[in-house]
């Protein structure tokens, strides 16, 4: 018979689940848990400076490890601060378990100090959530939270634990089994066979890979499928790295800021094989005009994605790994010389233009110079804005989980804490966070966490002293009325970084910017690398919001 | 109510969904929230615990709509939902209830 408090029980269950690092901020309603955590020497607690930062750190860990990771917050403002990071994890299908403190059971519903309805507030943002009413429930709830977070389509799960439940004594015989992933549904054989026939019969097929390929660990299988079937392959923002960008079959990222030729190839496809992607509007533009000539095969582990935006001719519910494994023996080896040479012709004529690539003080040039100084082992995180799209377009991603970006929610402030999380999970890697001056300010306080944890994170700041992507949209679609998108004063980010205890270098004043950059990237530890970018550099090409993907400008 | 009459008059078909769900606080909120945030009106709702009290049965009355299949998939995805069955308008549960609305 074991006896312990609810708080201790949570700590033991996290340990058993293999959790080594948790991120968060304490407060009254979660203090019993923190007290128990303090007695545990296998779990390292990283003190974030804002709960949203803690949430994104957990996400950063989960995005590189593929396993559910844990963030913590107290009740009330702690929980409300965490909400954006949870919503972000939901939209990008990131496995995460958030544990929040709540006011004691008897005070719930009385507008007690720091009480908010965390359960109610997080229903639409989580994959599932729990409000624990008795410490004994934790034996079931905690493993369930992990199982749900990592099974099927991954996602965030929140567990709200009232303070008195954390203090309550609980006795039990045995610990529950460590949670594991559910066995995914077996894909329907008849559908697999029909899909293989369609691939074999197609003249102009395109393989369209999404984040599900990364989550499933199926990147190498997807590349094999493409090679076997002679399939030109496009990737969504979330799938970058699934196929090396310089693979002869890669046609790069599709969508709003994809290369022209990529969207043109899709326009001509007679078969679209969508694997672990969800026809997001930023990827497909106007849905009715996307791939107008193509039949569609859609593979997803989440059955509700099938036929949601586009009706599939063959829909297959299943784990991408298993589905591709089942497809491979049925897909004929094809060279598709005619189609692939046509694709190559489109690429020659309508490839991505990257002006000033050799100048490390220009936007594409800076991305290129960072890539030149690093190898494929580095992790690349971004914030949200023009800089994010330039990195997505220009960085040579070659492996899954190399690239961390907020795709579905597009959350400014994601980059720095996610990069910190990545470095916590994989301290041997260099982690680069490409950021903008707007985004960096949204979680800039995490520079203090970075300095304290002394991690190998390099912040590359592309500073145009503006909310560049907004400024761009206003210039293009709002008659150049640039309302609230230019900052009137400039921040001295070098001093700010220094104040937080980070190293800082300025490429603006460097005599040899490429050398200064490479040196800063190679020096162990953290560093801010600052570079001014012309505000009037825009991200091109661009599909205007609501337009078809073939109606690109620029 | 005017909405209900309009849609019924417009010849839209009623559908009764029968859900078996876990019986604890918040489950109803999960289900209603799914419909609410897609601006999909639920015309009628009824919920009673089953014999073993750890589960409940919920009946939802909705109008057929092109989004209904997607809605059902979303409902099936909820952790607290054990099963979903779809019945036609001939299902008696709401008809009999109408007695209480006279
Ligand atoms: C939290 C949040 N608020 C607002 C937006 C809308 N938004 C998208 S990009 C952008 C500007 C980003 O500015 P910056 O980080 O400097 O990047 P830049 O576009 O200048 O490279 C804004 C305000 C957002 N994506 N996230
Ligand atoms: Mg900016």
């Amino acid at each position: 018979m074991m006896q312990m408090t609810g708080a201790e029980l949570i700590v033991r269950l996290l340990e058993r689940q293999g959790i080594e690092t948790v991120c968060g901020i304490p407060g009254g309603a979660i203090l019993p848990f923190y007290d128990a955590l303090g007695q545990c020497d296998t779990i390292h607690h990283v003190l974030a400076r804002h709960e949203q930062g803690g949430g994104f750190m957990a996400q950063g860990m989960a995005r590189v490890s593929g396993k559910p990771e844990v963030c913590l917050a107290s009740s009330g403002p702690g929980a409300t601060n965490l909400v954006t990071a949870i919503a972000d994890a939901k939209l990008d299908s990131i496995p995460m378990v958030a544990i929040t403190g709540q006011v004691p059971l008897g005070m719930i519903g009385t507008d007690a100090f720091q009480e908010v309805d965390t359960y109610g507030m997080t229903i639409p943002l989580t994959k599932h959530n729990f409000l624990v009413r008795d410490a004994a429930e934790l034996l079931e709830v905690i493993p369930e939270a992990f199982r749900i977070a990592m099974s099927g389509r991954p996602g965030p799960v929140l567990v709200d634990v009232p303070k008195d439940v954390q203090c309550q004594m609980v006795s039990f015989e045995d610990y529950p089994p460590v949670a594991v992933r559910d066995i995914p549904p077996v894909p329907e054989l008849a559908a697999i066979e029909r899909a293989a026939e369609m691939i074999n019969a197609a003249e102009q097929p395109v393989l369209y890979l999404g984040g599900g390929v990364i989550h499933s660990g199926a990147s190498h299988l997807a590349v094999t499928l493409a090679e076997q079937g002679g399939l030109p392959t496009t990737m969504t923002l979330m799938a970058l790295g699934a196929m090396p960008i310089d693979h002869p079959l890669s046609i790069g990222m599709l969508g709003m800021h994809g290369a022209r030729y990529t969207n043109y190839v899709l326009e001509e496809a007679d078969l679209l094989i969508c694997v672990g992607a969800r026809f997001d509007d930023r990827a497909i533009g106007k849905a009715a005009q996307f791939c107008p000539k193509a039949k569609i095969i859609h593979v997803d582990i989440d059955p509700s994605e099938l036929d949601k935006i586009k009706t599939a001719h063959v829909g297959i519910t299943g784990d991408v790994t298993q589905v591709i494994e089942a497809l491979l023996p049925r897909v004929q080896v094809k060279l598709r010389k005619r189609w692939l040479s046509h694709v190559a012709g489109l690429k020659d004529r309508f490839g991505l233009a990257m002006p000033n690539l050799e100048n490390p003080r220009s936007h594409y040039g800076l991305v290129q110079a960072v890539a030149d100084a690093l190898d494929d082992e580095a992790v690349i995180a971004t914030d949200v804005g023009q800089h994010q799209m330039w990195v997505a377009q220009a960085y040579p991603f070659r492996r899954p989980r190399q690239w961390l970006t907020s795709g579905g929610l597009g959350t400014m402030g994601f980059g720095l804490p996610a990069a910190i999380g990545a470095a916590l999970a994989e301290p041997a890697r260099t982690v680069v966070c490409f950021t903008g001056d707007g985004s960096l300010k949204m979680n800039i306080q995490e520079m203090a966490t970075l300095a304290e944890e002394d991690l190998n994170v390099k912040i590359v700041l592309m500073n145009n002293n503006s909310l560049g992507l907004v400024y761009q949209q206003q210039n293009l679609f709002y008659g150049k009325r640039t309302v609230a998108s230019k900052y009137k004063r400039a921040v001295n980010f070098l001093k700010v970084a220094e104040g937080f205890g980070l190293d800082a270098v300025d490429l603006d004043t460097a005599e040899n910017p490429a050398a200064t950059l490479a040196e800063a990237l190679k020096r162990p530890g953290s560093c801010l690398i600052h570079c001014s970018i012309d505000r009037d550099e825009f991200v091109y090409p661009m599909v205007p919001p609501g337009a078809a993907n073939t109606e690109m400008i620029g | 109510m005017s909405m209900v009459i309009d849609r019924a008059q417009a010849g839209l078909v009623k559908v009764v969904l029968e859900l078996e769900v876990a019986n604890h606080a918040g489950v109803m909120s999960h289900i209603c929230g799914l419909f609410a945030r897609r601006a999909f009106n639920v015309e009628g709702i009824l919920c009673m615990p089953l014999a073993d009290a750890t589960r409940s049965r919920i009946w939802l009355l909705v109008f057929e709509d092109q989004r209904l299949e997607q809605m059902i998939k979303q409902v099936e995805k909820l952790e607290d939902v054990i099963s979903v069955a779809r019945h036609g308008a001939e299902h008696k549960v709401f008809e009999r209830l109408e007695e209480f609305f006279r």
Side-chain angles (χ1 to χ4, degrees), chain A residues 119 123-124 128-129 133 147-148 302-304 306 308, chain B residues 24-27 29-30 37 70 73-74 77 79-80:
Chain A
Y119 179 88
I123 285 175
H128 192 53
N129 60 0
R133 286 154 199 284
R147 182 192 64 77
I148 294 167
D302 177 354
S304 70
L306 305 180
K308 184 181 82 176
Chain B
H24 62 79
V27 175
S29 195
H30 272 263
R37 67 176 177 274
Q70 173 66 16
K73 287 185 188 176
Q74 294 291 347
K77 237 166 90 170
E79 283 295 326
D80 285 321

Side-chain angles (χ1 to χ4, degrees), chain A residues 209 219 222-223 226 231 233 235 239 241-245 247 249-250 397-398:
Chain A
L209 305 179
S219 301
V223 172
L231 309 171
T233 302
M235 288 165 275
M243 173 182 271
I245 205 67
H247 190 287
L249 287 167
S250 167
F397 294 106
R398 296 197 182 91

Side-chain angles (χ1 to χ4, degrees), chain A residues 437-438 464 466 468:
Chain A
D437 51 302
N464 50 15
S466 70

Side-chain angles (χ1 to χ4, degrees), chain A residues 20-21 23 44 46 56-65 69 377-381 399 401-402 404 414-433 446 449-451 453-459 524-527:
Chain A
E20 291 172 355
T21 307
C23 309
H44 170 53
V46 176
F56 281 136
M57 286 174 207
Q59 266 212 41
M61 294 195 287
R63 285 178 191 246
V64 297
S65 72
E69 300 286 357
E377 295 309 305
V379 173
I380 309 299
R399 69 172 178 88
R401 303 195 184 281
Q402 183 183 9
L404 318 181
F414 169 90
L416 175 56
I420 293 173
L424 286 167
E426 302 202 335
R429 296 188 193 271
T430 299
V431 182
V432 174
C433 167
E446 302 309 333
T449 314
L450 176 55
E453 295 291 322
D454 193 21
L455 297 163
N456 202 9
V457 172
K458 322 294 184 203
I459 305 167
S526 53
C527 184

Side-chain angles (χ1 to χ4, degrees), chain A residues 5-285:
Chain A
T5 65
E8 285 174 292
L9 177 55
I10 300 174
V11 173
R12 293 287 94 75
L13 292 171
L14 295 183
E15 271 179 334
R16 290 170 55 82
Q17 203 61 49
I19 295 299
E20 291 172 355
T21 307
V22 295
C23 309
I25 302 185
I30 198 169
L31 277 181
F33 176 78
Y34 267 85
D35 198 36
L37 191 61
Q39 317 293 309
C40 159
D41 34 50
T42 61
I43 300 179
H44 170 53
H45 178 266
V46 176
L47 178 59
R49 267 47 174 189
H50 185 294
E51 287 82 355
Q52 187 187 113
F56 281 136
M57 286 174 207
Q59 266 212 41
M61 294 195 287
R63 285 178 191 246
V64 297
S65 72
K67 295 184 312 196
E69 300 286 357
V70 175
C71 56
L72 307 165
S74 196
S75 66
T80 54
N81 273 352
L82 195 56
V83 156
T84 302
I86 296 174
D88 189 278
K90 176 84 185 311
L91 279 169
D92 284 349
S93 306
I94 304 301
M96 182 166 92
V97 174
I99 299 176
T100 48
Q102 182 55 279
V103 302
L105 272 177
M107 294 172 79
I108 288 182
T110 65
D111 298 327
F113 178 62
Q114 296 194 327
E115 182 192 358
V116 294
D117 174 12
T118 305
Y119 179 88
M121 172 175 79
T122 54
I123 285 175
L125 312 175
T126 51
K127 187 173 173 195
H128 192 53
N129 60 0
F130 297 93
L131 169 58
V132 183
R133 286 154 199 284
D134 186 293
E137 286 176 18
L138 291 165
L139 291 163
E140 205 180 309
V141 166
I142 300 292
E144 267 295 274
F146 280 91
R147 182 192 64 77
I148 294 167
M150 66 180 142
S151 294
R153 179 182 189 166
V157 177
L158 180 134
V159 185
D160 199 28
V161 193
K163 189 176 183 182
D164 50 346
V165 173
Q166 296 170 44
C167 298
Q168 188 191 345
M169 290 304 284
V170 51
S171 337
F172 55 96
E173 289 294 339
D174 281 311
Y175 285 108
V178 172
V180 293
R181 252 187 206 95
D182 288 346
I183 296 169
V186 180
E188 195 201 329
L189 195 60
I192 300 268
E193 276 171 353
R194 252 179 299 141
E197 279 162 25
M198 284 165 74
I199 296 172
N200 294 337
E203 295 282 323
Q204 312 203 134
V206 174
L207 182 60
Y208 156 39
L209 305 179
V213 176
I214 311 275
H215 296 316
S216 173
S219 301
H220 59 292
L221 284 169
V223 172
T224 307
L225 176 65
E227 289 170 349
Q228 193 169 312
L231 309 171
T233 302
T234 185
M235 288 165 275
T236 65
L237 182 71
M238 296 310 295
L240 293 178
M243 173 182 271
I245 205 67
D246 28 25
H247 190 287
L249 287 167
S250 167
I251 56 169
M253 179 176 74
L254 78 164
M256 184 176 260
H257 294 298
R260 273 178 180 271
Y261 86 96
T262 312
N263 289 332
Y264 290 160
V265 170
L266 285 158
E267 176 80 2
E268 293 188 26
D270 67 355
L271 176 68
L272 183 70
I273 309 146
C274 170
V275 180
R278 59 181 177 87
F279 295 93
D280 177 78
D281 51 278
R282 296 292 140 132
I284 71 163

